[in-house]
Structure formats: C-alpha cells, structure tokens
Amino acid sequence: MRDTNEATPVRLAHLTDVHLPNLPAFWPQHWNVKRVLGWLNWQRRRRFVHKRETVDKLVAHLKLEAPTHVLVSGDLINIGLPQEYKRAADWLADLGTPESVSIIPGNHDIYTPVPARTGIARWTDYLAGPDHDLPERRSLELGLENRDFADRIFPHVRRIGPVDLISLNSAVPTRPGDASGFIGPEQMEGFATALKESRAAGRFRLVMLHHPPLSDQATMGRGLRDTDAFRNVLEKHGAELVIFGHNHVHIERWLDGPDGQFPLVGLSSATVSSAFGHEDLAAYQVYEIASVGVHAASRFKLHVKRYGLRAAGGDVVELASYPLTPDRADSTKQKGTVIEAVVAD
C-alpha cells in the first residue's frame, strides 16, 4: 500500500555515451592530429563495438517505459565533425522534445575547438531547456567556440516535479591522447549555490555530469582534473543522487553529506553491443523518485531499474531492480577498476 503522504513518483531515464555510429565523411578541411587519431581508433576498434541498432533497441524499450524525463550525460558523437552535431540533433528530436529531454556535453562533444554554431549550439534547447533566455543567442552562436558557449549555460538547474536536475559541464578541448575533464572555479561556485538553495527548498537534488567524480575511477589523462574540489562541494552541501558516464561501466559509490549518505552512479555506453575490454554491455537506467515526508532523512524514496543487453547482440531485458538506499553503501565500497587513458580516445 502506498504511503498516504507519498506523491506520484517521477521517473527519470538515464542514457550516456551514445557515440552515434557511423562516422560521416572526414574531409581534409577538418583534419587535425586529434581527429585523425580518433578516426583511426574508430576504424580499427570502435566501429566493431558501437552499433546504432543497439541504441535504437534501448530507445524503443525506453519509450515503452514512458519516463517523465530523459537524461543524457554526454558523448553523443565521436570526433567533433560538423555533420556529427547535425546527426545528433536529429537523433535527439527522435528521442523526445526539449520539454522531455535534458543533455550535457561529454569530452567527445567538445573534442577539439569548433564554432558553437556548427557544434553544440545545435542542441541548445536540450542543453538549456526550451524556455532558456540566453542573451543575444544568435551572436553567441556565431562568435563562440563550444566550451565558451557551454560556459554561458552551466551549471544549469531544471525543475522536474520534486527534482532539481543540476547539470554541469566537465568537457573541455584537450590535446591528443587526453580525455580528461574540468569543471572550473566559476561553475563550481554556481554548483555549490544550486545545491544549497535546492536543499533549503526541500528539493531532490540530482546532479548530472559526464566525467566520473571519483579519483579511483580514472588516471590523470582520463579523469576529472578538479575531482577534489567537486567532492568537497558535494560533501559540504550533499545531494540525493549523482549520475555520470565516460567510463562505459556501471558503478555505484556512496559519499557522506550533511543529511547522510548519498549515491554516485555511473552507467555503460548506450551503443556497446559486444564485449570490449573493461566495458559493460549497453544499458539505461530508470530512477523512480517519490516524495514521502518532510524530514531530511526521509523526504524521498529512490528506486532504480536497469535495462540493457545481457548478452552480445541480444534483446533489451531487465537487468536489475532495487531501492537505492544507504544500506547498500557497505557492499559498494570496494575499489573499482581504474580506467586508464586510451590513446586517441
């Protein structure tokens, strides 16, 4: 029987690291060292792993689940070609409207410096919400590169029922062989303010970023460079849930905040169709969040279901279903695999 104080749950679906196949034509005017290495990595390895039919199966299943909102935590594309941004815009339109889908960039979306008007500005309504009021939008799109354009948007707070979705951008252009991320002090200050204000309002704070905010999950060339600063903000102000991608694995960790422990959950790539190194097969998660009370320790119930491939090339099935509660913390504290930097990632 449902608690009489419990409201209708919000159901949020999470996808990440879509890496939309296949790469478009790679004309000489777009060549640089990083893109060439990324293109070679795709041709030699990644094209055999990331399959469009896999994410299509996930999305078809997701739509039957009819979530309240869909969250995509970056890496929609691969090597930052203009045609890739357009293809990703078309894919987003099929996934849902800007009213029902929120995204953030990943390191492959801000892979190398490009003008925002041919890059992530194509996704503005999904990055900033359909009701955004970015000043002088046309001049911003014409004059700024991807990272500078993202700086005008993030941190971004979007209200979804009792949830405050607090989105961050950790993607920056990097040198060849470097897939690291950086949030930066200005965004970090805004992040702290958003956490504090949402906590005071009694909201469920769902934080979304691309890079794992865990120092044991990546080396210097692949991880979040200001992990310590990010973790300090989280531990000071707390959150109810943190989600991320980047490593293409499912992982769960717990941190201590002012109201108790809260989970940090990473997810596998939405297109990985067969075994590849450390990576898990494609999956998505649905978080069911319900308001149940007024006290800080019991304001919300959080339940998670994970759907995806159990075997390479298989159908999408339910992989797990469980309440995401602090009693899981002791069983999820084991150290995970440190994901090494990969040349041409």
Side-chain angles (χ1 to χ4, degrees), residues 159-217:
R159 289 199 158 192
I160 309 166
V163 175
D164 275 357
L165 171 64
I166 304 173
S167 298
L168 301 169
N169 174 45
S170 61
V172 291
T174 56
R175 66 185 184 278
D178 187 338
S180 63
F182 183 69
I183 293 174
E186 290 187 12
Q187 196 178 173
M188 203 77 75
E189 182 178 353
F191 174 46
T193 298
L195 288 175
K196 182 169 60 176
E197 291 178 351
S198 291
R199 180 172 181 249
R203 309 277 296 167
F204 184 102
R205 296 161 299 171
L206 196 169
V207 179
M208 179 167 67
L209 72 164
H210 179 70
H211 288 80
L214 304 160
S215 59
D216 71 339
Q217 282 300 290

Coordinates of all heavy atoms in Angstrom, one line a residue, residues 159-217:
R159 N 13.8 22.1 -13.1 CA 12.8 21.5 -12.2 C 12.0 20.5 -12.9 O 11.4 20.8 -14.0 CB 11.9 22.6 -11.6 CG 12.6 23.5 -10.6 CD 11.7 24.2 -9.7 NE 12.3 24.6 -8.4 CZ 11.7 25.0 -7.4 NH1 10.4 25.1 -7.4 NH2 12.4 25.4 -6.3
I160 N 11.9 19.3 -12.4 CA 11.1 18.2 -12.9 C 10.4 17.6 -11.7 O 10.9 16.8 -11.0 CB 12.0 17.1 -13.6 CG1 13.0 17.7 -14.6 CG2 11.1 16.0 -14.2 CD1 14.1 16.8 -15.0
G161 N 9.1 18.0 -11.5 CA 8.4 17.6 -10.3 C 9.1 18.0 -9.1 O 9.5 19.2 -8.9
P162 N 9.4 17.1 -8.1 CA 10.1 17.4 -6.9 C 11.6 17.5 -7.1 O 12.4 17.7 -6.1 CB 9.7 16.3 -5.9 CG 9.6 15.1 -6.8 CD 9.0 15.7 -8.1
V163 N 12.1 17.2 -8.3 CA 13.5 17.1 -8.6 C 14.1 18.4 -9.1 O 13.5 19.0 -10.0 CB 13.8 16.0 -9.6 CG1 15.2 15.9 -10.0 CG2 13.3 14.6 -9.0
D164 N 15.2 18.8 -8.6 CA 16.1 19.8 -9.2 C 17.2 19.1 -9.9 O 18.1 18.5 -9.3 CB 16.6 20.8 -8.2 CG 15.7 21.9 -7.9 OD1 14.6 22.0 -8.5 OD2 16.0 22.7 -7.0
L165 N 17.2 19.1 -11.3 CA 18.3 18.5 -12.1 C 19.3 19.6 -12.2 O 19.1 20.6 -12.8 CB 17.8 18.1 -13.4 CG 18.9 17.7 -14.4 CD1 19.6 16.4 -14.0 CD2 18.3 17.5 -15.8
I166 N 20.5 19.3 -11.6 CA 21.6 20.2 -11.6 C 22.7 19.7 -12.5 O 23.3 18.7 -12.2 CB 22.2 20.4 -10.2 CG1 21.1 20.9 -9.2 CG2 23.3 21.5 -10.2 CD1 21.6 21.0 -7.7
S167 N 22.7 20.3 -13.7 CA 23.6 19.8 -14.8 C 24.9 20.6 -14.8 O 24.9 21.8 -14.7 CB 22.9 19.9 -16.1 OG 21.8 19.1 -16.2
L168 N 26.0 19.9 -15.0 CA 27.3 20.5 -15.1 C 28.0 20.1 -16.4 O 27.7 19.1 -17.0 CB 28.2 20.1 -13.9 CG 27.7 20.3 -12.5 CD1 28.5 19.6 -11.5 CD2 27.7 21.8 -12.2
N169 N 28.9 21.0 -16.8 CA 29.7 20.6 -18.0 C 31.2 20.4 -17.6 O 31.8 21.3 -17.1 CB 29.7 21.7 -19.0 CG 30.6 21.4 -20.2 OD1 30.7 20.3 -20.7 ND2 31.4 22.4 -20.6
S170 N 31.7 19.2 -17.8 CA 33.1 18.9 -17.5 C 33.9 18.7 -18.7 O 35.1 18.4 -18.6 CB 33.2 17.6 -16.7 OG 32.6 16.5 -17.4
A171 N 33.3 19.0 -19.9 CA 34.0 18.8 -21.2 C 34.8 20.0 -21.6 O 34.3 21.1 -21.6 CB 33.0 18.4 -22.3
V172 N 36.1 19.8 -21.9 CA 37.0 20.8 -22.4 C 37.8 20.3 -23.6 O 38.1 19.1 -23.6 CB 37.9 21.4 -21.3 CG1 37.2 22.1 -20.3 CG2 38.7 20.2 -20.7
P173 N 38.2 21.1 -24.6 CA 39.1 20.6 -25.6 C 40.4 20.2 -25.0 O 40.9 20.9 -24.1 CB 39.2 21.8 -26.6 CG 38.1 22.7 -26.2 CD 37.8 22.5 -24.8
T174 N 41.0 19.1 -25.4 CA 42.2 18.6 -24.8 C 43.2 18.2 -25.9 O 42.8 18.0 -27.1 CB 42.0 17.4 -23.9 OG1 41.3 16.4 -24.6 CG2 41.2 17.8 -22.6
R175 N 44.4 18.0 -25.6 CA 45.4 17.6 -26.5 C 45.2 16.1 -26.9 O 44.4 15.4 -26.3 CB 46.8 17.7 -25.9 CG 47.1 16.8 -24.8 CD 48.4 17.0 -24.1 NE 48.7 16.1 -23.1 CZ 48.3 16.1 -21.8 NH1 47.5 17.2 -21.5 NH2 48.6 15.2 -20.9
P176 N 45.8 15.6 -28.0 CA 45.7 14.2 -28.4 C 46.0 13.3 -27.3 O 47.0 13.5 -26.6 CB 46.6 14.1 -29.6 CG 46.7 15.5 -30.2 CD 46.6 16.4 -29.0
G177 N 45.2 12.2 -27.1 CA 45.5 11.2 -26.1 C 45.0 11.6 -24.7 O 45.2 10.8 -23.8
D178 N 44.4 12.8 -24.6 CA 43.9 13.2 -23.3 C 42.4 13.3 -23.3 O 41.8 14.0 -24.2 CB 44.5 14.6 -23.0 CG 44.2 15.2 -21.6 OD1 43.2 14.7 -21.0 OD2 44.9 16.0 -21.2
A179 N 41.7 12.6 -22.4 CA 40.2 12.6 -22.4 C 39.8 13.1 -21.0 O 38.7 12.8 -20.6 CB 39.7 11.2 -22.6
S180 N 40.6 13.9 -20.4 CA 40.2 14.4 -19.0 C 39.2 15.5 -19.1 O 38.9 16.1 -20.2 CB 41.5 15.0 -18.3 OG 42.0 16.1 -19.0
G181 N 38.6 15.9 -17.9 CA 37.6 16.9 -17.9 C 38.0 17.9 -16.8 O 38.8 17.7 -15.9
F182 N 37.2 19.0 -16.8 CA 37.5 20.1 -15.9 C 36.2 20.9 -15.7 O 35.6 21.4 -16.7 CB 38.6 21.0 -16.4 CG 39.0 22.1 -15.5 CD1 39.7 21.8 -14.3 CD2 38.8 23.4 -15.8 CE1 40.1 22.9 -13.4 CE2 39.2 24.5 -14.9 CZ 39.8 24.2 -13.7
I183 N 35.8 21.2 -14.5 CA 34.6 22.0 -14.2 C 35.0 23.4 -14.1 O 34.3 24.3 -14.7 CB 33.9 21.4 -13.0 CG1 33.3 20.0 -13.3 CG2 32.7 22.4 -12.6 CD1 32.7 19.4 -12.1
G184 N 36.0 23.7 -13.3 CA 36.4 25.1 -13.2 C 35.8 25.8 -12.0 O 34.7 25.5 -11.6
P185 N 36.5 26.9 -11.5 CA 36.0 27.5 -10.2 C 34.7 28.3 -10.4 O 33.9 28.3 -9.4 CB 37.2 28.5 -9.9 CG 37.9 28.6 -11.2 CD 37.8 27.4 -11.9
E186 N 34.4 28.9 -11.5 CA 33.2 29.7 -11.6 C 32.0 28.7 -11.6 O 31.0 29.0 -11.0 CB 33.2 30.5 -12.9 CG 34.2 31.7 -12.8 CD 34.0 32.6 -14.0 OE1 33.1 32.4 -14.8 OE2 34.9 33.5 -14.2
Q187 N 32.1 27.7 -12.4 CA 31.0 26.7 -12.4 C 30.8 26.0 -11.1 O 29.7 25.7 -10.6 CB 31.3 25.7 -13.6 CG 30.0 24.9 -13.9 CD 30.3 23.9 -15.0 OE1 29.4 23.1 -15.3 NE2 31.4 23.9 -15.7
M188 N 32.0 25.7 -10.4 CA 31.9 25.1 -9.1 C 31.2 25.9 -8.1 O 30.5 25.4 -7.2 CB 33.4 24.8 -8.6 CG 33.4 23.6 -7.6 SD 33.3 22.0 -8.4 CE 34.9 21.8 -9.1
E189 N 31.5 27.3 -8.2 CA 30.8 28.2 -7.2 C 29.3 28.2 -7.5 O 28.5 28.1 -6.5 CB 31.3 29.6 -7.4 CG 30.8 30.6 -6.5 CD 31.4 32.0 -6.6 OE1 32.3 32.1 -7.4 OE2 30.8 33.0 -6.0
G190 N 28.9 28.2 -8.7 CA 27.5 28.1 -9.0 C 26.8 26.8 -8.6 O 25.7 26.7 -8.2
F191 N 27.6 25.7 -8.8 CA 27.2 24.4 -8.3 C 26.9 24.4 -6.8 O 25.8 23.9 -6.4 CB 28.2 23.4 -8.7 CG 28.0 22.0 -8.2 CD1 26.8 21.4 -8.4 CD2 29.0 21.3 -7.7 CE1 26.5 20.1 -7.9 CE2 28.8 20.0 -7.2 CZ 27.6 19.4 -7.4
A192 N 27.8 24.9 -6.0 CA 27.6 25.0 -4.6 C 26.3 25.8 -4.2 O 25.6 25.4 -3.4 CB 28.8 25.6 -3.9
T193 N 26.1 26.9 -4.9 CA 25.0 27.7 -4.6 C 23.7 26.9 -5.0 O 22.7 27.0 -4.2 CB 25.0 29.0 -5.4 OG1 26.2 29.8 -5.0 CG2 23.8 29.8 -5.2
A194 N 23.7 26.2 -6.1 CA 22.5 25.5 -6.5 C 22.2 24.4 -5.5 O 21.0 24.2 -5.2 CB 22.7 24.9 -7.9
L195 N 23.2 23.7 -5.0 CA 23.0 22.6 -4.0 C 22.4 23.2 -2.8 O 21.4 22.6 -2.2 CB 24.3 21.9 -3.7 CG 24.9 21.0 -4.8 CD1 26.2 20.5 -4.3 CD2 23.9 19.8 -5.1
K196 N 22.9 24.3 -2.3 CA 22.5 24.9 -1.1 C 21.1 25.4 -1.2 O 20.2 25.2 -0.3 CB 23.4 26.1 -0.7 CG 23.1 26.8 0.6 CD 24.2 27.7 1.0 CE 24.5 28.8 -0.1 NZ 25.5 29.8 0.4
E197 N 20.7 26.1 -2.3 CA 19.4 26.6 -2.4 C 18.3 25.5 -2.6 O 17.2 25.6 -2.1 CB 19.3 27.6 -3.6 CG 20.1 28.8 -3.4 CD 20.1 29.8 -4.6 OE1 19.7 29.3 -5.7 OE2 20.6 30.9 -4.5
S198 N 18.7 24.5 -3.3 CA 17.7 23.3 -3.5 C 17.5 22.6 -2.2 O 16.4 22.2 -1.9 CB 18.3 22.4 -4.6 OG 18.3 23.0 -5.9
R199 N 18.6 22.4 -1.4 CA 18.4 21.8 -0.1 C 17.5 22.6 0.8 O 16.6 22.0 1.5 CB 19.8 21.6 0.5 CG 19.8 21.0 1.9 CD 21.2 20.7 2.4 NE 21.2 20.0 3.7 CZ 21.6 20.5 4.8 NH1 22.0 21.8 4.8 NH2 21.5 19.8 6.0
A200 N 17.7 23.9 0.8 CA 16.8 24.8 1.6 C 15.4 24.7 1.2 O 14.5 24.8 2.0 CB 17.3 26.2 1.6
A201 N 15.1 24.4 -0.1 CA 13.8 24.4 -0.6 C 13.2 23.0 -0.5 O 12.0 22.7 -0.9 CB 13.7 24.8 -2.1
G202 N 14.0 22.0 0.1 CA 13.5 20.7 0.3 C 13.3 19.9 -1.0 O 12.5 18.9 -1.1
R203 N 14.1 20.2 -2.0 CA 14.1 19.5 -3.3 C 15.0 18.3 -3.4 O 16.0 18.2 -2.7 CB 14.4 20.5 -4.4 CG 13.7 21.8 -4.4 CD 12.4 21.8 -5.1 NE 12.5 21.5 -6.5 CZ 11.5 21.1 -7.3 NH1 10.3 20.9 -6.8 NH2 11.7 20.9 -8.6
F204 N 14.7 17.4 -4.3 CA 15.6 16.2 -4.6 C 16.6 16.7 -5.5 O 16.3 17.2 -6.6 CB 14.8 15.1 -5.2 CG 15.6 13.8 -5.4 CD1 15.5 12.8 -4.6 CD2 16.4 13.7 -6.5 CE1 16.2 11.6 -4.8 CE2 17.2 12.6 -6.8 CZ 17.0 11.5 -5.9
R205 N 17.9 16.7 -5.1 CA 19.0 17.2 -6.0 C 19.6 16.1 -6.7 O 20.3 15.3 -6.2 CB 20.0 17.9 -5.1 CG 19.4 19.2 -4.4 CD 20.2 19.6 -3.2 NE 20.3 18.5 -2.2 CZ 21.1 18.5 -1.1 NH1 21.9 19.6 -0.9 NH2 21.1 17.5 -0.3
L206 N 19.4 16.1 -8.0 CA 20.0 15.1 -8.9 C 21.1 15.8 -9.7 O 20.8 16.7 -10.5 CB 19.0 14.5 -9.9 CG 19.3 13.2 -10.6 CD1 18.1 12.6 -11.3 CD2 20.4 13.4 -11.7
V207 N 22.3 15.5 -9.5 CA 23.5 16.1 -10.2 C 23.9 15.2 -11.4 O 24.1 14.0 -11.2 CB 24.7 16.2 -9.2 CG1 25.9 16.9 -9.9 CG2 24.2 17.1 -8.0
M208 N 24.1 15.9 -12.5 CA 24.5 15.1 -13.7 C 25.7 15.8 -14.3 O 25.8 17.0 -14.6 CB 23.4 15.1 -14.8 CG 23.8 14.4 -16.1 SD 22.4 14.0 -17.2 CE 21.8 15.7 -17.7
L209 N 26.8 15.0 -14.5 CA 28.0 15.4 -15.2 C 28.5 14.2 -16.0 O 28.0 13.1 -15.9 CB 29.1 15.9 -14.2 CG 29.8 14.9 -13.4 CD1 31.1 15.5 -12.8 CD2 29.0 14.4 -12.2
H210 N 29.5 14.5 -16.9 CA 30.0 13.4 -17.8 C 31.1 12.6 -17.1 O 31.0 11.4 -17.1 CB 30.5 14.0 -19.1 CG 31.0 12.9 -20.0 ND1 30.2 12.0 -20.6 CD2 32.2 12.6 -20.4 CE1 30.9 11.2 -21.4 NE2 32.1 11.6 -21.3
H211 N 32.1 13.2 -16.6 CA 33.3 12.5 -16.1 C 33.0 12.0 -14.7 O 32.3 12.6 -13.9 CB 34.5 13.4 -16.0 CG 35.1 13.8 -17.4 ND1 34.6 14.7 -18.2 CD2 36.2 13.2 -18.0 CE1 35.3 14.8 -19.3 NE2 36.3 13.9 -19.2
P212 N 33.6 10.8 -14.4 CA 33.4 10.3 -13.0 C 34.0 11.2 -12.0 O 35.1 11.5 -12.1 CB 34.1 8.9 -13.1 CG 34.3 8.6 -14.5 CD 34.4 9.9 -15.2
P213 N 33.2 11.5 -10.9 CA 33.7 12.4 -9.9 C 34.4 11.6 -8.8 O 34.2 11.8 -7.6 CB 32.5 13.1 -9.4 CG 31.4 12.1 -9.5 CD 31.8 11.3 -10.8
L214 N 35.2 10.6 -9.2 CA 35.8 9.6 -8.3 C 37.3 9.4 -8.7 O 37.6 9.0 -9.8 CB 35.1 8.3 -8.4 CG 33.6 8.3 -8.1 CD1 32.9 7.1 -8.7 CD2 33.3 8.4 -6.6
S215 N 38.1 9.7 -7.7 CA 39.6 9.7 -8.0 C 40.1 8.3 -8.3 O 41.1 8.1 -9.0 CB 40.4 10.3 -6.9 OG 40.2 9.6 -5.7
D216 N 39.4 7.3 -7.9 CA 39.8 5.9 -8.1 C 39.3 5.3 -9.4 O 39.4 4.1 -9.7 CB 39.4 5.0 -7.0 CG 37.9 4.7 -6.9 OD1 37.1 5.5 -7.4 OD2 37.5 3.7 -6.3
Q217 N 38.6 6.2 -10.2 CA 38.0 5.7 -11.4 C 38.7 6.1 -12.7 O 38.2 5.7 -13.8 CB 36.5 6.1 -11.5 CG 35.6 5.3 -10.6 CD 35.7 3.8 -11.0 OE1 35.2 3.4 -12.0 NE2 36.3 3.0 -10.1

